[in-house]
Amino acid sequence: MRRPRLLALFTATVLLTAACGDPENEKGPAEAGPDRVNVGVIAILDVAPIYLGRDKGFFKDRGIELNLTTAQGGAAIVPAVLSGEYQFGFSNTISLLLGADRKLPVKAVVNGVNSTGVDGQDFAGLFVKADSPIRSPKDLAGRTVAANTLKNIVDTTVRSSVAKDGGDASRVKFTELAFPDQVPALQEGRVDAIFVVEPFQQSAVAAGARKIASSYVDAAPDLTVAMYFTSQRLIANDPDLVSRFTAAMKQSLEYADAHPGEVRDVLGSYTKIAPEVRAKLVLPKWPAEVNRASVETLADRAVSDGTLPKKPDLAALLP
C-alpha cells in the first residue's frame, strides 16, 4: 500500500517541477510578485522625485514595491544600507565621498538632486541679517556660520563662496545647528550667518534676512548635491534589482524636472510645508545623470579645505 502512494507523490513532484521549468510558465520579476524595496530618505524637498515616482507607478511598473523610510540624515542611512535594512539610500555628495575615503562598500547608482546653477536663484543660500555689516562672503573671515552638519557639504560650499569672493576661507568658523533653529539664531545674534535649504530659505527671506551667496552655485556649475546609493553586496547579489531601481529613479527624476507643479503637490504628502510656502519654493534641478565634473570639483575643494584627507577613487563610487 505504501509503494503506490510514494510513486504517486513522486510522479506529482516531477510533473510540478516540469511545469515550473516550462518556458511558457516562467515569470519575470514583476510577474512573480514585486520585490519589496526599502529606501532611506530625508523628509526634505530634494527627495520629491522618488515620492512622485512611487505615486506615478514608475517603480511598480518595474516590479518594485517601494517603501520610503525617513531618517534624520546620512549618518543613519549609510549604516542601514550596509546592514541591509535599507536596499538603497539618499545622501549628499560629501557624505558619500567621506564614505569612499573610509573604504565603505557603498556605490552611487543614480543622481539625486542638483543646484539650479543660477546665482541668487538656487534652492539653498548663505544669509545674514538685513543690518549686518557683512556685505559679501569675504567678510565672513573670522565670523561664525551655522551649518546643519559640521565638516560636510556646508563647510566646503560656504568656503567656496568665501574664496571666490577673495576672502580667507580658512578663517571661517562653523557651529552646528539644525535647519529649523538657524533663523532664530541669526535674529538673536548668536551666529553671523546661516546656510539653509528650502523650505528654510523661505523662512529666512520672510524674517528679512539678506542673501549674500548661492554657495552650491559657487562650489561648481550645476553641482550634484546628493545621490542615491546602495551597497556593493546588493550590486553583486541582485544586479537586476539595482538596474530596475535605477531605471525607475531616472524616470522619476525626469518627470519631476518636467512637472514642477506636481512636485509642489507631492511635498504635501510627506512634509508639513504649508501650501502657500510650497508655492514660493525655489525648486532644484533633477537631471537623471550625475554631473561627474561637479563631483570632481567638489572633491578637490573638500581636500583643499580639510574636509577630506585625500581624494577618493571616484570611478569606484560614481555610477
Side-chain angles (χ1 to χ4, degrees):
M1 293 294 296
R2 194 176 174 191
R3 287 176 59 85
R5 290 179 182 174
L6 289 173
L7 182 59
L9 178 62
F10 174 76
T11 303
T13 303
V14 170
L15 289 173
L16 179 61
T17 304
C20 291
D22 187 335
E24 292 182 0
N25 290 302
E26 286 182 357
K27 295 181 179 181
E31 295 172 307
D35 287 301
R36 292 180 176 84
V37 171
N38 198 12
V39 182
V41 295
I42 310 167
I44 54 176
L45 167 64
D46 309 33
V47 299
I50 197 169
Y51 282 91
L52 199 52
R54 184 180 65 176
D55 291 353
K56 292 294 176 182
F58 299 155
F59 293 90
K60 183 179 180 181
D61 290 346
R62 292 173 173 84
I64 294 174
E65 182 181 310
L66 193 66
N67 180 58
L68 301 174
T69 302
T70 56
Q72 288 298 105
I77 294 175
V78 171
V81 169
L82 290 176
S83 71
E85 181 183 353
Y86 305 154
Q87 282 69 54
F88 301 90
F90 177 88
S91 183
N92 79 62
T93 300
I94 289 288
S95 290
L96 291 174
L97 289 169
L98 287 166
D101 175 70
R102 294 166 188 158
K103 308 299 182 186
L104 296 180
V106 296
K107 184 175 178 65
V109 294
V110 66
N111 198 44
V113 64
N114 281 36
S115 158
T116 64
V118 181
D119 187 30
Q121 299 178 46
D122 199 20
F123 75 107
L126 184 60
F127 289 84
V128 297
K129 288 180 69 173
D131 60 354
S132 172
I134 298 169
R135 307 311 302 175
S136 69
K138 67 182 178 183
D139 298 330
L140 288 173
R143 309 283 187 135
T144 300
V145 180
N148 68 312
T149 306
L150 297 179
K151 297 186 181 299
N152 209 286
I153 195 165
V154 174
D155 297 44
T156 298
T157 55
V158 167
R159 285 196 173 107
S160 297
S161 293
V162 175
K164 182 179 179 181
D165 195 39
D168 185 351
S170 67
R171 293 184 57 214
V172 181
K173 295 178 284 188
F174 293 91
T175 187
E176 188 169 309
L177 277 177
F179 283 133
D181 301 327
Q182 291 194 26
V183 171
L186 182 65
Q187 290 176 310
E188 295 163 13
R190 290 186 279 122
V191 295
D192 300 299
I194 60 175
F195 181 86
V196 288
V197 298
E198 294 287 20
F200 306 101
Q201 177 170 248
Q202 295 306 316
S203 299
V205 171
R210 177 163 43 87
K211 193 173 190 175
I212 61 170
S214 299
S215 296
Y216 286 164
V217 178
D218 291 338
D222 306 317
L223 176 66
T224 287
V225 177
M227 297 175 276
Y228 290 89
F229 69 99
T230 190
S231 65
Q232 293 286 2
R233 181 173 62 180
L234 185 64
I235 291 172
N237 292 343
D238 201 343
D240 176 66
L241 175 61
V242 174
S243 177
R244 284 183 284 130
F245 174 85
T246 300
M249 197 63 241
K250 285 185 176 182
Q251 186 178 6
S252 301
L253 291 164
E254 290 169 350
Y255 190 89
D257 226 21
H259 297 83
E262 292 188 46
V263 167
R264 296 181 196 278
D265 290 339
V266 82
L267 278 170
S269 69
Y270 70 94
T271 73
K272 296 180 180 179
I273 305 173
E276 60 271 19
V277 176
R278 297 202 304 265
K280 297 176 182 177
L281 298 177
V282 177
L283 300 183
K285 293 296 183 183
W286 285 292
E289 303 298 331
V290 172
N291 184 336
R292 301 176 73 92
S294 77
V295 177
E296 289 269 3
T297 300
L298 191 64
D300 288 336
R301 292 187 183 280
V303 172
S304 298
D305 67 29
T307 300
L308 275 171
K310 64 181 183 303
K311 191 173 180 178
D313 181 1
L314 297 186
L317 173 66
L318 298 180

